[in-house]
Amino acid sequence: MKALILAGGKGTRFLEETKVRPKPMIEINNKPILLHIIDQYIRHGINEFIVLGGYKIEYIYEYFEEQKLNDDNEYLYQDTKIKILDTGIETMTGGRIKRAQEFLDDTFLVTYGDGISNINIENLIKFHHKNKKLATVTAVRPPARFGSLTLEGNLVSKFGEKISTNEGWINGGFFVLNKKVLNYIDGDEITFEKSPMETLANSSHLAAYKHTGFWYPIDTIREKEIIEGMVKNNQLSWLHD
């Protein structure tokens, strides 16, 4: 089964880094986020990847240059094959996925190139097959980012850390998709999280795999610093691999 990784966005909220490289190539513990994500899939038996590049894709090509297998932009990494596909600079997430259609089997995986997680990919795939839906999205709790305030009138009666479990579930990426989902994507301008996902949900074709373990997006320099601090304090042991 192939895993697609969305890695073509401009990362405008992370200009400190993305002015020179695409966001998935920002390093955490001296390794790009992209490879941390790929490593997570490898741990669960996935060995074929398609990186859906766009913005500053040449940086990704150069990073893997020494592992190049052929002129089709295929590279070797830890006995796995990575294909880097140029999906355009302005293409939206749905359009990027659809541009890979000729390389896909009936079922494939997709995730974002900027999220760190210890999700069990094998269990996710089993869940998808068991529920027999066209698509499965991983549901996660939003990370606690701000201090919480409990107010009584104009007075703060309680101050503490934001409790993420009170915030419901959000889209955490790590999708499993049937190839029929591509029929919901009309072209490059389609954002996967909008009409395709909404239509799948409204027609009862979208399942949610609830992941209660670690998940954290890296959208800003502050979030990068938080993750690096956790690595330094040995809280994310799998990122040391």
Side-chain angles (χ1 to χ4, degrees):
M1 189 178 295
K2 294 183 178 70
L4 278 59
I5 302 176
L6 291 157
K10 296 180 180 179
T12 54
R13 288 188 289 175
F14 213 150
L15 289 177
E16 300 94 336
E17 296 263 8
T18 56
K19 62 184 178 183
V20 297
R21 68 185 114 187
K23 187 163 62 168
M25 298 305 292
I26 294 169
E27 293 188 355
I28 300 293
N29 196 32
N30 300 313
K31 180 185 286 189
I33 299 169
L34 176 67
L35 290 187
H36 286 301
I37 295 168
I38 288 174
D39 287 345
Q40 182 62 15
Y41 278 108
I42 290 174
R43 293 184 192 101
H44 294 278
I46 304 303
N47 57 19
E48 287 190 76
F49 300 88
I50 302 176
V51 175
L52 305 176
Y55 174 73
K56 294 193 179 296
I57 192 172
E58 65 279 359
Y59 189 100
I60 306 177
Y61 289 141
E62 291 171 5
Y63 184 89
F64 288 102
E65 181 62 30
E66 293 184 4
Q67 289 79 42
K68 192 169 185 178
L69 293 173
N70 52 47
D71 292 334
D72 292 328
N73 294 319
E74 293 180 336
Y75 303 80
L76 187 67
Y77 171 73
Q78 293 190 10
D79 297 324
T80 67
K81 187 170 71 175
I82 299 174
K83 182 176 183 63
I84 301 172
L85 186 64
D86 189 348
T87 58
I89 295 177
E90 302 297 335
T91 308
M92 305 305 287
T93 50
R96 295 190 192 283
I97 295 168
K98 187 145 188 175
R99 285 211 187 187
Q101 61 183 327
E102 65 180 287
F103 307 107
L104 302 176
D105 300 318
D106 288 342
T107 305
F108 59 98
L109 307 162
V110 179
T111 197
Y112 304 108
D114 58 2
I116 298 294
S117 178
N118 63 353
I119 181 173
N120 188 313
I121 304 296
E122 292 168 276
N123 288 346
L124 168 64
I125 294 170
K126 290 176 183 177
F127 176 90
H128 174 78
H129 288 311
K130 179 180 179 180
N131 284 275
K132 299 179 180 179
K133 301 297 183 183
L134 292 182
T136 298
V137 59
T138 298
V140 298
R141 299 291 194 184
R145 296 183 180 181
F146 308 102
S148 65
L149 301 177
T150 302
L151 303 181
E152 293 184 7
N154 293 326
L155 295 177
V156 177
S157 61
K158 185 176 181 181
F159 182 92
E161 288 302 312
K162 186 174 183 181
I163 303 173
S164 61
T165 53
N166 289 338
E167 300 302 316
W169 299 90
I170 63 172
N171 167 21
F174 293 96
F175 302 94
V176 188
L177 305 178
N178 184 289
K179 198 172 183 180
K180 293 178 181 178
V181 168
L182 299 181
N183 296 329
Y184 294 75
I185 303 171
D186 293 330
D188 285 354
E189 72 281 2
I190 300 300
T191 300
F192 184 61
E193 300 78 12
K194 293 185 179 179
S195 60
M197 291 280 283
E198 291 167 359
T199 303
L200 286 165
N202 291 338
S203 57
S204 299
H205 284 307
L206 180 61
Y209 175 79
K210 295 178 180 179
H211 172 64
T212 56
F214 186 84
W215 177 88
Y216 208 94
I218 304 174
D219 289 326
T220 65
I221 190 71
R222 174 58 181 152
E223 287 164 345
K224 175 188 174 183
E225 291 170 348
I226 289 171
I227 291 294
E228 288 181 329
M230 296 176 78
V231 171
K232 184 177 180 180
N233 293 325
N234 296 314
Q235 294 174 266
L236 306 176
S237 59
W238 73 90
L239 294 186
H240 290 281
D241 295 345

